[in-house]
Amino acid sequence: IRAFERCIRRDPSDPTYTPDAMFRLGELYYEQSAIRFAEATEIDPAATEGHPDFNPTINLYRDLVARFPRYRRIDGVYYLIGYCLNEMGNMEEARLAWLNLVCANRFTYTGAPPPRPEEPPRPQDLAAHPAASILAPTNDGPEAPFDDPYADCRPITPDAEFVSETWLRIGEYHFDFDFEPHFLERAVSAYSHVLANPEDRNYNLALYKVAWAYYRASRNPEAIAHFAQLVDWSDREQERTGRAGSELRAEAIQYMGITFAYDDWNENQLPDPQEGLPTAIQRLQDPSLLPQDRPWTAEVYFHAGQVFFDQAQYELAIQVWELALQRFPLHHRNPEIAMLIARAYRRLQRRDCVHQREGGRRAGRGVGAADLRKGRRSRGSIR
């Protein structure tokens, strides 16, 4: 640190070596701040509640941006400013720094913090800090058309690094901390920039986050479509590499099942079938909502039935599971599902159906005793 500080004092304006020295010094300041915070926490955890102080790095990098805006690693500078600010809880200003990295044609980060949310920005603030306007409270209601602030974004340099990770972080900001109308649309817009490149390492995570944003917005067809894309992507990756594609695959199946089992898609507090809208059974069989020819389609049926079972809607669970057994007669989980159907009949105290279901299976209708034992062992795994 001392060597880099001397270098910068000795030659503060060299266009090549000075910004390189500042960049490396900022990284060292970051490491120093993190170490000091960790050591202080070990001595007295109560005295260090909060965040490390990364202001030495932030202030140095703000100076670097102001003095050397064409520095060859300017993308990394903006990313690290945003990262440090975010770690210190200054999420709004962090987003502005990140936007100058990924959307430099529409946003400018000058290093000045944005106005506080409770204080309307003054005209002179917006003139000095154009991007602050996006943080100000708006007069647009939920019914106003969505104006995408991230349309046609271009990064600060054509070969900028950290772009996909930065868009994910911007999306997370809107998903978790943005309370203005259309916050989920802004989250989807940010996440969707990652989806432009299926080879990106964050592609599957962005798919999951887009699906979750649509799910949270009760835009169920779009949510199902993106969860399905994630499962397809995961299975293709597993086939290509021989390794598990995405650890989020199981959750994608789970939330598709939950969505199909939900009976109020228009969120008007009335069950959809009472209004003449499709039932869960009808939606599950609709190829425009759920592909019917995928190896994983049966899993969605099975999980929808499990949701109904867990909600004590045993008749619906039985209907869904019976349909699944008919549609996918060779699926490896069918013995397990047959046992669950028998359990649902027991809950309904329909002993005749229990005996029929269990007796028919034991009689050899495609399922042997070994399969039944396998189903009995594994049935708890779907909870």
Side-chain angles (χ1 to χ4, degrees), residues 75-117:
D75 52 344
V77 175
Y78 279 118
Y79 178 79
L80 289 169
I81 290 175
Y83 183 86
C84 291
L85 287 166
N86 195 66
E87 290 293 294
M88 293 177 65
N90 299 332
M91 292 167 288
E92 293 86 355
E93 188 178 352
R95 183 167 59 92
L96 291 179
W98 282 332
L99 283 169
N100 207 142
L101 165 59
V102 298
C103 198
N105 57 313
R106 302 192 68 171
F107 295 89
T108 301
Y109 175 70
T110 64
R116 294 179 179 274

Side-chain angles (χ1 to χ4, degrees), residues 26 32 61 92 107 115 130 146 150 162 195 226 230 239 262 280 369 375:
Q32 184 182 59
Y61 281 174
E92 293 86 355
F107 295 89
F146 173 56
Y150 305 141
F162 317 110
L195 300 184
H226 283 83
L230 173 59
E239 183 177 352
Y262 186 55

Side-chain angles (χ1 to χ4, degrees), residues 45-284:
T48 56
E49 292 182 1
H51 312 282
D53 180 10
F54 294 127
N55 278 308
T57 297
I58 294 169
N59 293 331
L60 180 64
Y61 281 174
R62 284 172 176 161
D63 187 33
L64 196 163
V65 166
R67 292 167 55 195
F68 303 98
R70 298 188 180 279
Y71 173 48
R72 62 184 178 85
R73 301 182 68 181
I74 197 69
D75 52 344
V77 175
Y78 279 118
Y79 178 79
L80 289 169
I81 290 175
Y83 183 86
C84 291
L85 287 166
N86 195 66
E87 290 293 294
M88 293 177 65
N90 299 332
M91 292 167 288
E92 293 86 355
E93 188 178 352
R95 183 167 59 92
L96 291 179
W98 282 332
L99 283 169
N100 207 142
L101 165 59
V102 298
C103 198
N105 57 313
R106 302 192 68 171
F107 295 89
T108 301
Y109 175 70
T110 64
R116 294 179 179 274
E118 65 271 15
E119 299 175 0
R122 300 170 300 174
Q124 58 267 37
D125 293 331
L126 297 182
H129 199 341
S133 60
I134 196 173
L135 300 176
T138 68
N139 295 321
D140 297 333
E143 69 283 353
F146 173 56
D147 182 17
D148 187 354
Y150 305 141
D152 305 317
C153 279
R154 294 192 298 274
I156 192 166
T157 59
D159 57 347
E161 296 187 71
F162 317 110
V163 172
S164 68
E165 182 177 343
T166 300
W167 276 121
L168 278 175
R169 291 180 177 275
I170 293 170
E172 293 294 87
Y173 168 85
H174 291 300
F175 192 89
D176 291 326
F177 303 108
D178 185 355
F179 302 102
E180 291 291 306
H182 302 297
F183 72 99
L184 287 172
E185 286 91 338
R186 286 190 286 276
V188 168
S189 176
Y191 294 138
S192 295
H193 282 276
V194 184
L195 300 184
N197 180 15
E199 303 301 320
D200 191 277
R201 65 185 182 88
N202 293 306
Y203 180 80
N204 75 103
L205 180 57
L207 266 178
Y208 181 78
K209 296 301 297 189
V210 169
W212 239 101
Y214 281 132
Y215 175 81
R216 185 172 171 185
S218 298
R219 293 174 58 176
N220 296 315
E222 292 96 330
I224 292 167
H226 283 83
F227 282 132
Q229 288 180 47
L230 173 59
V231 177
D232 278 338
W233 180 90
S234 178
D235 289 354
R236 287 195 303 270
E237 284 297 294
Q238 184 169 20
E239 183 177 352
R240 183 179 67 87
T241 65
R243 300 187 301 273
S246 172
E247 61 185 16
L248 299 170
R249 183 191 187 279
E251 289 190 36
I253 293 287
Q254 175 186 3
Y255 279 102
M256 279 193 279
I258 291 171
T259 304
F260 279 110
Y262 186 55
D263 68 352
D264 187 16
W265 278 27
N266 58 8
E267 299 290 353
N268 67 348
Q269 311 305 312
L270 290 173
D272 292 340
Q274 291 185 13
E275 301 180 275
L277 297 175
T279 65
I281 297 285
Q282 292 169 327
R283 285 173 173 151
L284 277 166

